[in-house]
Amino acid sequence: MRWLERQRNFLEFTLSSLLRRKWKNASLALVYALIVFLLSSVVFLANALRKEALSLLKDAPEMIVQRMVAGRHDLIPLGYADGIGEIRGVRSVHGRLWGYYYHPANRANYTIMVPEEFSYGDQDIVVGNGVLRSWETRRDPGLYFRTFNGETMVMNVKESFDASSELVTSDLVLMSENAFRRLFGMGEGLFTDLAVIIRNPAEYEVIAEKIVTLFPDTRPILRDEIERTYASLFDWRSGYAVILLIGAGMAFFIFAWDKATGLSDEEKKEIGILKALGWDTGDVLAVKFWEGVVISLTAFFIGVIVAYMHVFLLSAPLFSHAFKGWSVLYPEFTLAPSIDAYQLAILFCLTVLPYTVITVIPTWRVSVTEPDSVMKQI
Protein backbone atom coordinates (compact mmCIF):
# COMPACT_ATOMS: atom_id res chain seq x y z
CA MET A 1 0.00 0.00 0.00
CA ARG A 2 2.83 2.36 0.80
CA TRP A 3 4.37 1.68 -2.61
CA LEU A 4 1.05 2.40 -4.34
CA GLU A 5 0.63 5.64 -2.38
CA ARG A 6 4.15 6.64 -3.38
CA GLN A 7 3.44 5.96 -7.08
CA ARG A 8 0.16 7.90 -6.88
CA ASN A 9 2.06 10.91 -5.54
CA PHE A 10 4.60 10.59 -8.36
CA LEU A 11 1.75 10.46 -10.88
CA GLU A 12 0.09 13.59 -9.44
CA PHE A 13 3.41 15.46 -9.61
CA THR A 14 3.91 14.23 -13.20
CA LEU A 15 0.50 15.50 -14.31
CA SER A 16 1.13 18.93 -12.80
CA SER A 17 4.56 19.00 -14.48
CA LEU A 18 3.02 18.10 -17.84
CA LEU A 19 0.40 20.83 -17.50
CA ARG A 20 3.13 23.43 -16.94
CA ARG A 21 4.47 22.53 -20.43
CA LYS A 22 1.10 21.69 -21.93
CA TRP A 23 1.64 23.07 -25.48
CA LYS A 24 4.95 21.30 -25.96
CA ASN A 25 3.56 18.01 -24.66
CA ALA A 26 0.30 18.40 -26.61
CA SER A 27 2.16 18.86 -29.91
CA LEU A 28 4.35 15.82 -29.15
CA ALA A 29 1.30 13.69 -28.27
CA LEU A 30 -0.44 14.81 -31.47
CA VAL A 31 2.43 13.67 -33.72
CA TYR A 32 2.73 10.49 -31.66
CA ALA A 33 -1.01 9.78 -32.06
CA LEU A 34 -0.73 10.30 -35.83
CA ILE A 35 1.91 7.55 -36.08
CA VAL A 36 -0.24 5.19 -33.99
CA PHE A 37 -3.28 6.07 -36.11
CA LEU A 38 -1.52 5.19 -39.39
CA LEU A 39 -0.15 1.87 -38.13
CA SER A 40 -3.44 0.93 -36.45
CA SER A 41 -5.46 1.76 -39.57
CA VAL A 42 -3.33 -0.58 -41.69
CA VAL A 43 -3.57 -3.41 -39.17
CA PHE A 44 -7.34 -2.99 -38.59
CA LEU A 45 -8.11 -2.76 -42.33
CA ALA A 46 -6.02 -5.80 -43.32
CA ASN A 47 -7.49 -7.89 -40.50
CA ALA A 48 -11.09 -6.87 -41.30
CA LEU A 49 -10.67 -7.55 -45.05
CA ARG A 50 -9.08 -10.93 -44.34
CA LYS A 51 -11.97 -11.98 -42.10
CA GLU A 52 -14.55 -10.63 -44.56
CA ALA A 53 -13.02 -12.58 -47.46
CA LEU A 54 -12.71 -15.80 -45.45
CA SER A 55 -16.33 -15.57 -44.27
CA LEU A 56 -17.50 -15.20 -47.87
CA LEU A 57 -15.42 -18.20 -48.98
CA LYS A 58 -17.38 -20.46 -46.63
CA ASP A 59 -20.00 -20.75 -49.38
CA ALA A 60 -17.41 -21.63 -52.04
CA PRO A 61 -17.18 -25.23 -53.38
CA GLU A 62 -15.01 -27.57 -51.31
CA MET A 63 -12.98 -28.41 -54.40
CA ILE A 64 -12.58 -26.88 -57.86
CA VAL A 65 -11.12 -28.90 -60.73
CA GLN A 66 -9.52 -27.04 -63.63
CA ARG A 67 -8.06 -28.44 -66.85
CA MET A 68 -4.54 -27.33 -67.72
CA VAL A 69 -3.11 -27.13 -71.25
CA ALA A 70 0.50 -25.99 -71.73
CA GLY A 71 0.53 -24.73 -68.16
CA ARG A 72 -2.54 -22.53 -68.63
CA HIS A 73 -6.14 -22.87 -67.49
CA ASP A 74 -8.31 -24.28 -70.33
CA LEU A 75 -11.97 -25.21 -70.77
CA ILE A 76 -12.93 -28.59 -69.33
CA PRO A 77 -15.36 -31.01 -71.08
CA LEU A 78 -18.43 -32.14 -69.18
CA GLY A 79 -17.22 -35.74 -69.65
CA TYR A 80 -14.63 -35.15 -66.93
CA ALA A 81 -17.49 -34.58 -64.48
CA ASP A 82 -18.87 -38.06 -65.18
CA GLY A 83 -15.52 -39.68 -64.35
CA ILE A 84 -14.98 -37.61 -61.19
CA GLY A 85 -18.55 -38.30 -60.02
CA GLU A 86 -17.80 -42.03 -59.95
CA ILE A 87 -14.98 -41.63 -57.41
CA ARG A 88 -16.04 -42.96 -54.00
CA GLY A 89 -16.65 -40.10 -51.55
CA VAL A 90 -17.74 -37.56 -54.17
CA ARG A 91 -21.30 -36.41 -53.55
CA SER A 92 -21.83 -34.35 -56.73
CA VAL A 93 -20.03 -32.58 -59.57
CA HIS A 94 -21.33 -29.73 -61.70
CA GLY A 95 -19.76 -27.54 -64.35
CA ARG A 96 -19.32 -23.81 -63.76
CA LEU A 97 -19.32 -21.04 -66.36
CA TRP A 98 -17.47 -17.84 -65.56
CA GLY A 99 -15.03 -15.50 -67.27
CA TYR A 100 -13.82 -11.93 -67.56
CA TYR A 101 -15.19 -9.27 -69.92
CA TYR A 102 -12.93 -6.34 -70.76
CA HIS A 103 -14.71 -3.06 -71.43
CA PRO A 104 -12.42 -0.86 -73.55
CA ALA A 105 -14.37 2.36 -72.88
CA ASN A 106 -13.60 2.42 -69.16
CA ARG A 107 -10.64 -0.01 -69.30
CA ALA A 108 -12.13 -2.28 -66.67
CA ASN A 109 -12.50 -6.04 -66.35
CA TYR A 110 -15.85 -7.42 -65.22
CA THR A 111 -16.50 -10.90 -63.88
CA ILE A 112 -19.23 -12.71 -65.82
CA MET A 113 -20.82 -15.74 -64.13
CA VAL A 114 -23.67 -18.16 -64.70
CA PRO A 115 -25.41 -19.05 -61.40
CA GLU A 116 -26.81 -22.53 -60.81
CA GLU A 117 -30.30 -21.07 -60.83
CA PHE A 118 -31.03 -17.92 -62.86
CA SER A 119 -34.64 -16.78 -62.64
CA TYR A 120 -34.54 -14.25 -65.50
CA GLY A 121 -34.44 -14.59 -69.30
CA ASP A 122 -31.56 -14.78 -71.78
CA GLN A 123 -31.65 -11.00 -72.33
CA ASP A 124 -31.51 -10.17 -68.62
CA ILE A 125 -28.62 -9.70 -66.19
CA VAL A 126 -28.04 -9.08 -62.49
CA VAL A 127 -25.12 -6.74 -61.75
CA GLY A 128 -23.04 -5.35 -58.91
CA ASN A 129 -23.13 -1.69 -57.96
CA GLY A 130 -19.62 -1.14 -59.29
CA VAL A 131 -20.79 -2.20 -62.76
CA LEU A 132 -23.58 0.39 -62.75
CA ARG A 133 -21.20 3.10 -61.57
CA SER A 134 -18.59 2.48 -64.23
CA TRP A 135 -20.28 1.12 -67.36
CA GLU A 136 -19.91 3.72 -70.13
CA THR A 137 -22.05 2.30 -72.98
CA ARG A 138 -25.25 2.28 -70.97
CA ARG A 139 -28.81 3.22 -71.81
CA ASP A 140 -31.31 2.43 -69.04
CA PRO A 141 -32.17 -0.28 -68.39
CA GLY A 142 -29.73 -1.93 -70.82
CA LEU A 143 -25.97 -2.50 -71.00
CA TYR A 144 -24.21 -2.97 -74.34
CA PHE A 145 -21.87 -5.95 -74.72
CA ARG A 146 -19.71 -6.89 -77.71
CA THR A 147 -19.64 -10.63 -78.38
CA PHE A 148 -16.58 -12.67 -79.38
CA ASN A 149 -17.38 -12.12 -83.08
CA GLY A 150 -18.10 -8.38 -82.81
CA GLU A 151 -21.89 -8.47 -82.57
CA THR A 152 -23.67 -6.07 -80.21
CA MET A 153 -25.65 -7.66 -77.42
CA VAL A 154 -27.97 -5.52 -75.25
CA MET A 155 -28.73 -6.94 -71.82
CA ASN A 156 -31.43 -5.60 -69.52
CA VAL A 157 -30.48 -4.98 -65.90
CA LYS A 158 -33.19 -6.67 -63.84
CA GLU A 159 -31.59 -6.41 -60.42
CA SER A 160 -28.48 -5.18 -58.59
CA PHE A 161 -26.77 -6.80 -55.64
CA ASP A 162 -27.20 -5.53 -52.11
CA ALA A 163 -24.55 -3.03 -51.02
CA SER A 164 -23.53 -5.26 -48.09
CA SER A 165 -22.06 -7.82 -50.54
CA GLU A 166 -20.12 -5.30 -52.63
CA LEU A 167 -16.74 -6.67 -51.57
CA VAL A 168 -17.29 -9.64 -53.93
CA THR A 169 -20.08 -8.40 -56.21
CA SER A 170 -18.85 -4.94 -57.23
CA ASP A 171 -17.61 -6.11 -60.66
CA LEU A 172 -19.96 -9.10 -61.01
CA VAL A 173 -22.46 -9.70 -63.83
CA LEU A 174 -24.79 -12.71 -63.69
CA MET A 175 -26.51 -13.98 -66.85
CA SER A 176 -28.08 -17.12 -68.27
CA GLU A 177 -26.04 -20.00 -69.72
CA ASN A 178 -27.28 -19.28 -73.26
CA ALA A 179 -26.29 -15.61 -73.02
CA PHE A 180 -22.85 -16.53 -71.62
CA ARG A 181 -22.11 -19.01 -74.43
CA ARG A 182 -23.26 -16.45 -77.02
CA LEU A 183 -21.09 -13.69 -75.51
CA PHE A 184 -17.88 -15.74 -75.39
CA GLY A 185 -18.57 -18.20 -78.22
CA MET A 186 -18.22 -21.20 -75.91
CA GLY A 187 -19.57 -24.47 -77.29
CA GLU A 188 -22.01 -26.80 -75.57
CA GLY A 189 -20.51 -29.34 -73.18
CA LEU A 190 -17.57 -27.12 -72.23
CA PHE A 191 -17.21 -25.41 -68.86
CA THR A 192 -14.74 -23.09 -67.17
CA ASP A 193 -14.16 -25.54 -64.32
CA LEU A 194 -15.91 -28.16 -62.20
CA ALA A 195 -17.20 -27.73 -58.63
CA VAL A 196 -16.87 -30.93 -56.59
CA ILE A 197 -18.86 -31.59 -53.40
CA ILE A 198 -17.24 -34.20 -51.09
CA ARG A 199 -18.97 -36.10 -48.30
CA ASN A 200 -16.10 -36.38 -45.80
CA PRO A 201 -13.72 -33.39 -45.35
CA ALA A 202 -10.98 -35.82 -44.29
CA GLU A 203 -10.95 -37.24 -47.82
CA TYR A 204 -10.27 -33.97 -49.68
CA GLU A 205 -6.61 -34.69 -50.41
CA VAL A 206 -7.18 -38.38 -51.18
CA ILE A 207 -9.90 -37.55 -53.72
CA ALA A 208 -7.71 -34.82 -55.21
CA GLU A 209 -4.97 -37.40 -55.79
CA LYS A 210 -7.49 -39.79 -57.40
CA ILE A 211 -8.70 -37.01 -59.74
CA VAL A 212 -5.16 -36.24 -60.89
CA THR A 213 -4.51 -39.95 -61.42
CA LEU A 214 -7.71 -40.31 -63.46
CA PHE A 215 -7.24 -37.05 -65.41
CA PRO A 216 -3.54 -36.05 -65.40
CA ASP A 217 -4.25 -32.76 -67.18
CA THR A 218 -6.39 -31.45 -64.30
CA ARG A 219 -5.55 -29.35 -61.24
CA PRO A 220 -7.76 -29.74 -58.15
CA ILE A 221 -7.88 -26.64 -55.93
CA LEU A 222 -9.14 -27.06 -52.35
CA ARG A 223 -11.10 -24.34 -50.57
CA ASP A 224 -8.48 -24.34 -47.80
CA GLU A 225 -5.83 -23.42 -50.39
CA ILE A 226 -7.95 -20.48 -51.60
CA GLU A 227 -8.42 -19.28 -48.00
CA ARG A 228 -4.68 -19.46 -47.36
CA THR A 229 -4.04 -17.53 -50.58
CA TYR A 230 -6.41 -14.74 -49.53
CA ALA A 231 -4.86 -14.60 -46.05
CA SER A 232 -1.37 -14.37 -47.58
CA LEU A 233 -2.54 -11.68 -50.00
CA PHE A 234 -3.80 -9.34 -47.26
CA ASP A 235 -0.76 -10.11 -45.07
CA TRP A 236 1.49 -9.20 -48.00
CA ARG A 237 -0.30 -5.92 -48.68
CA SER A 238 -0.42 -4.91 -45.02
CA GLY A 239 3.27 -5.84 -44.69
CA TYR A 240 4.22 -3.47 -47.50
CA ALA A 241 2.10 -0.69 -46.00
CA VAL A 242 3.66 -1.18 -42.56
CA ILE A 243 7.18 -1.13 -44.07
CA LEU A 244 6.37 2.21 -45.72
CA LEU A 245 5.05 3.56 -42.42
CA ILE A 246 8.08 2.34 -40.48
CA GLY A 247 9.98 5.25 -42.04
CA ALA A 248 7.50 7.69 -40.51
CA GLY A 249 7.72 5.84 -37.18
CA MET A 250 11.52 5.98 -37.19
CA ALA A 251 11.42 9.72 -37.96
CA PHE A 252 9.12 10.23 -34.99
CA PHE A 253 11.32 8.29 -32.57
CA ILE A 254 14.40 10.16 -33.78
CA PHE A 255 12.47 13.37 -33.15
CA ALA A 256 11.40 12.11 -29.71
CA TRP A 257 14.97 11.02 -28.90
CA ASP A 258 16.31 14.44 -29.88
CA LYS A 259 13.71 16.14 -27.69
CA ALA A 260 14.39 13.81 -24.80
CA THR A 261 18.18 14.06 -24.93
CA GLY A 262 18.03 17.82 -25.23
CA LEU A 263 16.34 18.59 -21.91
CA SER A 264 15.36 22.22 -21.64
CA ASP A 265 16.87 24.54 -19.01
CA GLU A 266 13.53 24.49 -17.21
CA GLU A 267 13.55 20.69 -17.03
CA LYS A 268 17.21 20.60 -15.87
CA LYS A 269 16.41 23.23 -13.25
CA GLU A 270 13.45 21.18 -12.06
CA ILE A 271 15.61 18.07 -11.71
CA GLY A 272 18.30 20.05 -9.87
CA ILE A 273 15.76 21.48 -7.42
CA LEU A 274 14.25 18.04 -6.79
CA LYS A 275 17.72 16.62 -6.08
CA ALA A 276 18.49 19.57 -3.76
CA LEU A 277 15.24 18.89 -1.88
CA GLY A 278 16.35 15.38 -1.16
CA TRP A 279 14.85 13.38 -4.02
CA ASP A 280 17.10 10.52 -5.00
CA THR A 281 17.82 9.39 -8.57
CA GLY A 282 15.15 6.68 -8.41
CA ASP A 283 12.45 9.23 -7.51
CA VAL A 284 13.39 11.50 -10.45
CA LEU A 285 13.42 8.53 -12.84
CA ALA A 286 10.00 7.45 -11.55
CA VAL A 287 8.55 10.88 -12.32
CA LYS A 288 10.01 10.83 -15.85
CA PHE A 289 8.82 7.25 -16.31
CA TRP A 290 5.26 8.27 -15.45
CA GLU A 291 5.61 11.27 -17.75
CA GLY A 292 6.49 8.97 -20.67
CA VAL A 293 3.68 6.58 -19.75
CA VAL A 294 1.06 9.35 -19.65
CA ILE A 295 2.09 10.82 -23.02
CA SER A 296 2.50 7.47 -24.80
CA LEU A 297 -0.74 5.96 -23.44
CA THR A 298 -2.70 9.11 -24.30
CA ALA A 299 -1.32 9.08 -27.85
CA PHE A 300 -1.87 5.33 -28.17
CA PHE A 301 -5.53 5.41 -27.16
CA ILE A 302 -6.26 8.51 -29.28
CA GLY A 303 -4.54 6.92 -32.30
CA VAL A 304 -6.31 3.57 -31.90
CA ILE A 305 -9.77 5.11 -31.38
CA VAL A 306 -9.41 7.42 -34.40
CA ALA A 307 -8.10 4.50 -36.49
CA TYR A 308 -11.12 2.41 -35.44
CA MET A 309 -13.47 5.20 -36.58
CA HIS A 310 -11.47 5.69 -39.81
CA VAL A 311 -11.66 1.99 -40.78
CA PHE A 312 -15.04 0.85 -39.50
CA LEU A 313 -17.12 4.03 -39.75
CA LEU A 314 -15.54 5.76 -42.76
CA SER A 315 -14.37 2.61 -44.69
CA ALA A 316 -10.69 3.62 -44.50
CA PRO A 317 -10.52 6.22 -47.32
CA LEU A 318 -6.72 6.65 -46.83
CA PHE A 319 -5.80 3.00 -47.48
CA SER A 320 -8.82 1.33 -49.10
CA HIS A 321 -7.55 1.66 -52.69
CA ALA A 322 -4.28 -0.06 -51.83
CA PHE A 323 -6.03 -3.01 -50.16
CA LYS A 324 -9.16 -3.63 -52.24
CA GLY A 325 -7.15 -4.47 -55.33
CA TRP A 326 -9.44 -3.38 -58.17
CA SER A 327 -7.72 -1.34 -60.85
CA VAL A 328 -10.86 0.57 -61.87
CA LEU A 329 -13.82 -0.78 -59.88
CA TYR A 330 -13.51 -0.01 -56.21
CA PRO A 331 -16.21 -1.64 -54.10
CA GLU A 332 -17.98 0.58 -51.57
CA PHE A 333 -18.84 -1.27 -48.37
CA THR A 334 -18.75 -0.98 -44.60
CA LEU A 335 -16.46 -3.41 -42.81
CA ALA A 336 -17.70 -5.36 -39.81
CA PRO A 337 -15.80 -4.20 -36.68
CA SER A 338 -13.07 -6.71 -35.93
CA ILE A 339 -10.03 -6.21 -33.69
CA ASP A 340 -7.39 -8.85 -32.99
CA ALA A 341 -6.18 -8.58 -29.35
CA TYR A 342 -2.80 -10.07 -30.29
CA GLN A 343 -2.21 -7.47 -33.02
CA LEU A 344 -3.31 -4.70 -30.65
CA ALA A 345 -0.77 -5.95 -28.08
CA ILE A 346 1.98 -5.90 -30.74
CA LEU A 347 1.04 -2.33 -31.66
CA PHE A 348 1.20 -1.37 -27.98
CA CYS A 349 4.68 -2.88 -27.57
CA LEU A 350 5.99 -1.24 -30.76
CA THR A 351 4.69 2.25 -30.00
CA VAL A 352 4.41 2.73 -26.22
CA LEU A 353 7.45 0.90 -24.82
CA PRO A 354 10.16 2.52 -27.06
CA TYR A 355 9.02 6.06 -26.21
CA THR A 356 8.78 5.32 -22.49
CA VAL A 357 12.36 3.98 -22.49
CA ILE A 358 13.93 6.83 -24.48
CA THR A 359 12.46 9.44 -22.12
CA VAL A 360 14.03 7.83 -19.05
CA ILE A 361 17.63 7.47 -20.33
CA PRO A 362 18.51 11.22 -20.74
CA THR A 363 16.82 12.00 -17.42
CA TRP A 364 19.03 9.43 -15.74
CA ARG A 365 22.15 11.12 -17.19
CA VAL A 366 21.11 14.47 -15.65
CA SER A 367 19.78 13.08 -12.38
CA VAL A 368 23.05 11.31 -11.48
CA THR A 369 24.81 14.70 -11.60
CA GLU A 370 25.18 16.68 -8.38
CA PRO A 371 22.48 19.38 -7.94
CA ASP A 372 24.93 22.28 -7.81
CA SER A 373 26.58 21.12 -11.05
CA VAL A 374 23.19 20.94 -12.75
CA MET A 375 22.27 24.45 -11.58
CA LYS A 376 25.63 25.82 -12.80
CA GLN A 377 25.01 24.43 -16.30
CA ILE A 378 21.78 26.42 -16.65
Side-chain angles (χ1 to χ4, degrees), residues 108-170:
N109 271 308
Y110 299 90
T111 303
I112 313 293
M113 289 189 67
V114 176
E116 293 186 44
E117 295 181 2
F118 190 67
S119 56
Y120 299 107
D122 292 341
Q123 299 296 322
D124 301 326
I125 54 176
V126 178
V127 301
N129 291 321
V131 178
L132 295 177
R133 286 195 300 267
S134 61
W135 201 278
E136 296 288 342
T137 53
R138 176 185 178 193
R139 188 178 64 183
D140 291 334
L143 299 183
Y144 287 85
F145 288 81
R146 185 173 292 276
T147 65
F148 73 102
N149 57 2
E151 295 179 356
T152 300
M153 195 167 83
V154 181
M155 305 296 288
N156 299 317
V157 178
K158 302 297 289 187
E159 188 181 348
S160 62
F161 290 105
D162 188 82
S164 60
S165 64
E166 195 163 339
L167 178 63
V168 292
T169 62
S170 178

Side-chain angles (χ1 to χ4, degrees), residues 18-166:
L18 289 173
L19 288 176
R20 284 197 298 273
R21 300 184 294 274
K22 56 186 175 185
W23 294 116
K24 173 190 173 184
N25 293 318
S27 60
L28 180 63
L30 185 64
V31 177
Y32 197 166
L34 177 63
I35 298 299
V36 176
F37 159 74
L38 294 174
L39 290 172
S40 302
S41 294
V42 170
V43 172
F44 290 168
L45 179 59
N47 189 50
L49 285 174
R50 185 189 305 110
K51 288 192 173 181
E52 192 80 16
L54 295 181
S55 67
L56 293 171
L57 283 174
K58 289 180 179 177
D59 298 327
E62 293 143 357
M63 180 188 293
I64 295 171
V65 178
Q66 296 179 341
R67 181 171 178 243
M68 306 299 294
V69 174
R72 298 179 66 85
H73 177 204
D74 199 11
L75 299 179
I76 186 167
L78 185 59
Y80 281 52
D82 298 334
I84 295 172
E86 294 176 357
I87 296 175
R88 180 177 295 179
V90 174
R91 177 180 297 171
S92 65
V93 184
H94 68 270
R96 300 197 312 169
L97 290 171
W98 59 271
Y100 298 110
Y101 179 82
Y102 179 71
H103 196 300
N106 52 22
R107 294 179 291 181
N109 271 308
Y110 299 90
T111 303
I112 313 293
M113 289 189 67
V114 176
E116 293 186 44
E117 295 181 2
F118 190 67
S119 56
Y120 299 107
D122 292 341
Q123 299 296 322
D124 301 326
I125 54 176
V126 178
V127 301
N129 291 321
V131 178
L132 295 177
R133 286 195 300 267
S134 61
W135 201 278
E136 296 288 342
T137 53
R138 176 185 178 193
R139 188 178 64 183
D140 291 334
L143 299 183
Y144 287 85
F145 288 81
R146 185 173 292 276
T147 65
F148 73 102
N149 57 2
E151 295 179 356
T152 300
M153 195 167 83
V154 181
M155 305 296 288
N156 299 317
V157 178
K158 302 297 289 187
E159 188 181 348
S160 62
F161 290 105
D162 188 82
S164 60
S165 64
E166 195 163 339

Side-chain angles (χ1 to χ4, degrees), residues 15 53 78 97 99 103 109 114 119 124 130 136 142 148 175 200 216 223 229 231 267 296 347 367 375:
L15 293 176
L78 185 59
L97 290 171
H103 196 300
N109 271 308
V114 176
S119 56
D124 301 326
E136 296 288 342
F148 73 102
M175 60 177 59
N200 185 359
R223 184 170 57 194
T229 301
E267 290 171 305
S296 56
L347 271 176
S367 61
M375 301 297 287

Side-chain angles (χ1 to χ4, degrees), residues 196-369:
V196 182
I197 308 300
I198 299 172
R199 291 191 181 90
N200 185 359
E203 296 180 340
Y204 287 172
E205 295 187 2
V206 175
I207 291 176
E209 292 176 2
K210 290 181 178 179
I211 291 174
V212 173
T213 303
L214 188 62
F215 300 106
D217 60 342
T218 58
R219 179 179 62 178
I221 302 173
L222 300 177
R223 184 170 57 194
D224 292 345
E225 295 175 342
I226 300 175
E227 291 176 351
R228 286 196 295 271
T229 301
Y230 268 96
S232 301
L233 175 67
F234 289 120
D235 287 343
W236 175 79
R237 287 178 179 171
S238 62
Y240 264 93
V242 168
I243 288 174
L244 292 176
L245 292 176
I246 282 177
M250 292 296 294
F252 166 73
F253 283 114
I254 291 172
F255 167 76
W257 173 264
D258 181 65
K259 288 289 183 184
T261 52
L263 292 177
S264 65
D265 290 344
E266 182 183 356
E267 290 171 305
K268 291 180 180 177
K269 182 179 179 182
E270 183 181 87
I271 293 173
I273 292 173
L274 292 175
K275 294 277 291 186
L277 291 174
W279 288 41
D280 59 28
T281 301
D283 296 338
V284 176
L285 290 178
V287 168
K288 288 300 176 183
F289 168 77
W290 281 115
E291 186 176 304
V293 169
V294 169
I295 291 178
S296 56
L297 280 182
T298 302
F300 179 78
F301 284 116
I302 291 176
V304 168
I305 291 172
V306 176
Y308 182 92
M309 298 169 65
H310 170 243
V311 173
F312 298 115
L313 299 183
L314 303 177
S315 299
L318 291 180
F319 298 103
S320 59
H321 287 195
F323 278 81
K324 290 176 183 176
W326 273 259
S327 59
V328 175
L329 300 177
Y330 290 99
E332 297 177 355
F333 58 92
T334 301
L335 291 166
S338 171
I339 295 180
D340 190 318
Y342 173 75
Q343 291 179 334
L344 202 59
I346 296 294
L347 271 176
F348 180 86
C349 294
L350 290 177
T351 54
V352 173
L353 297 184
Y355 179 81
T356 304
V357 171
I358 63 175
T359 55
V360 170
I361 294 175
T363 305
W364 171 79
R365 292 170 57 187
V366 175
S367 61
V368 295
T369 309

Side-chain angles (χ1 to χ4, degrees), residues 159-202:
E159 188 181 348
S160 62
F161 290 105
D162 188 82
S164 60
S165 64
E166 195 163 339
L167 178 63
V168 292
T169 62
S170 178
D171 67 334
L172 183 61
V173 178
L174 297 183
M175 60 177 59
S176 69
E177 179 176 343
N178 291 333
F180 183 91
R181 294 188 184 281
R182 180 188 168 199
L183 178 63
F184 293 107
M186 189 180 295
E188 294 291 336
L190 293 175
F191 292 88
T192 309
D193 55 30
L194 301 176
V196 182
I197 308 300
I198 299 172
R199 291 191 181 90
N200 185 359

